[in-house]
Every structure is written in C-alpha cells, then in structure tokens.
Amino acid sequence: MTAAMDLFRLDDKVVLITGAAQGIGLAAAKLCRQAGARVVLLDQNHEALQAIDFEASGEGGTWSRHVLDVTREDQVCEVFERAVVSHGRIDVLINNAGIALRDAAVDLSREAWERVMDVNVTGMFLCAREAARRMIGAGHGGAVVNTASIMGLSGGGVYPNISYQTSKGAVVNMTRALAVEWAPHAIRVNAVAPTYVDTQFVAALTRQPELMARIAAVTPLRRLATAQEVAAAMVFLASPAAAMTTGHILAVDGGFLAQ
Ligand SMILES: NC(=O)c1ccc[n+]([C@@H]2O[C@H](COP(=O)([O-])OP(=O)(O)OC[C@H]3O[C@@H](n4cnc5c(N)ncnc54)[C@H](O)[C@@H]3O)[C@@H](O)[C@H]2O)c1
C-alpha cells in the first residue's frame, strides 16, 4: 500500500507544461514543483516566461523554460526533443495553452475561427503526439492532462463563443480517443474542464459587474475558480493517485455541469 500523501507526489517526474507563463499553467507548474516534479515551462510569451523566478521565491529544484508556439510543428518537435536531452525523459504533459476569440457566430471571421482551432486543437494534438512518441520510444508510459473547458461540454455560458466551444468539444473527444489508443503503452490521457477561472483569460469579463453576476448566477458555488483549484485537479490526474483513471474529463466547475 502506498501512503496516502505519496499517492499525490510527482517526485523526479519530468513534467512539461504548455501555456505555463501565467494563469492556470503557471499555477500547475508551482504545484507540480511542490509535489517534487522537475518542470519544463513552455509558452509563446518570452517576456512572461523570463519574469518567472522560482529561485527568488525560495523554490529550488531543477526546472527549465523554453519559448514555444504550440501551433508551430517544427518548434514543438525541437523543444520536446530538447526537453528529453536536458531532463532525460518526459513523464507528464500538461497540455494547457489555449485562446478564445469571442464573437457571435454570424460575425466570426474564418481567420478567427482557424486561429482558435489551430491553437486549441491542432497545437494540443501536436504536443500530445510529440510527448507520446517519446514516452512510447522510451517504453515507460506517462500521463497527459489536457485543458478542456465546461464550454467543451455545454453550448451555454454568458456570451457567444462558438469557435472556443467547438475547439474544447474537440479536446474532450481527443482526450477520450487518445486514452483508448495509448492505453496499451501505459499512457493515461485525461482532461480538466474548468468553469470561468480568475486569470488574464477572463480579465475583460471581470471588469464587467453585470457579467460577473451572470457567471455567479449560472454557477452553483456562485464564484469563479482559482487557477490553483484547476492546477490541483491537474496534479491529481498526473499522479499515481489517478493510476486507474484514463479518458476522463474532470469538471472543476463549481457545479455548472451538474445542473
Ligand atoms: N480562465 C478561464 O476562464 C478558463 C476556463 C476554462 C478553460 N480555460 C483554459 O485554460 C487554459 C489556460 O488558460 P488561462 O486561464 O491560464 O489563460 P491565460 O491567458 O492566463 O494563459 C494562457 C497562456 O497560454 C499561452 N499561449 C497562448 N497561445 C499559445 C501558443 N500558440 N503557444 C504557446 N503558448 C500559448 C499564453 O501566452 C498564456 O501564457 C486554456 O486552454 C484555456 O482555454 C480557461
């Protein structure tokens, strides 16, 4: 029997995190480090990545950061290979980079539609594929945690967001399909489905009291989630505590989807 707290540890696991320069990804990086992991922070935002200083915040341990645009296949291949060279292996991918370009469906341009699909679906697939190739090649299995959304499981919400909802619906079923395909290689694939989370992602909303009141009204727990609350679910899904869990979409939604 593994001791209770050990089940949630990630000691010496190499954890790659996309969209790690801020928000949910950065919160996941901090929690993974506290759980003992070696984290590799990946983000297209060079300045925000450079501003992260785990040593200054008193957090030691091995970590690295790389600029990566998840839509650039050449970069994804190169950066994932570099992570293996630097850290020896990839155990976990937290596949989290994502964007939203909110517009009514009838006003949405093809360019905006394609940009959201490119980052949220194609970028997520490329990162999952490159992580799995290396896990399978090394023969040690691993875990992938995708960031979906309640909007991947609901057509509702407080404003129209068709490209985002479509893309996160794709993430939900990508998660299930990869879980089935990669189970023989001992790679577990799960996703979190957060409600509105208090990050830069929704900064424009949090400045509008009327929208915040509507979010509270459609959320049984009556508030936004914190980035750490989502990160905690990610650590669980990456950890030995979830050893028998794959293909699962874990809502971190204050009850939104229970209604
Ligand atoms: N905040 C919310 O309300 C909420 C709710 C549900 C799901 N999510 C999802 O959570 C994930 C993280 O969101 P967040 O709230 O932390 O947002 P955020 O905007 O604070 O952080 C997103 C990060 O992703 C990075 N990024 C964007 N495009 C990228 C690309 N092409 N390549 C590499 N990095 C890229 C950004 O630079 C940024 O650092 C996203 O997938 C988002 O869809 C967010």
Side-chain angles (χ1 to χ4, degrees), residues 30-41:
K30 289 177 178 169
L31 276 194
C32 287
R33 280 170 59 75
Q34 287 169 22
R38 289 183 273 161
V39 296
V40 181
L41 282 66

Side-chain angles (χ1 to χ4, degrees), residues 97-164:
I99 60 167
L101 299 173
R102 304 167 181 114
D103 236 332
V106 290
D107 297 326
L108 190 73
S109 69
R110 181 179 179 134
E111 289 69 30
W113 168 272
E114 287 182 347
R115 181 65 193 152
V116 172
M117 293 303 152
D118 212 18
V119 177
N120 294 5
V121 182
T122 307
M124 199 165 279
F125 168 69
L126 292 173
C127 291
R129 187 192 70 187
E130 290 311 304
R133 280 180 172 167
R134 286 159 182 80
M135 292 169 184
I136 293 167
H140 54 56
V144 176
V145 181
N146 295 327
T147 306
S149 166
I150 53 171
M151 291 307 148
L153 294 158
S154 164
V158 295
Y159 43 73
N161 205 356
I162 186 65
S163 55
Y164 187 77

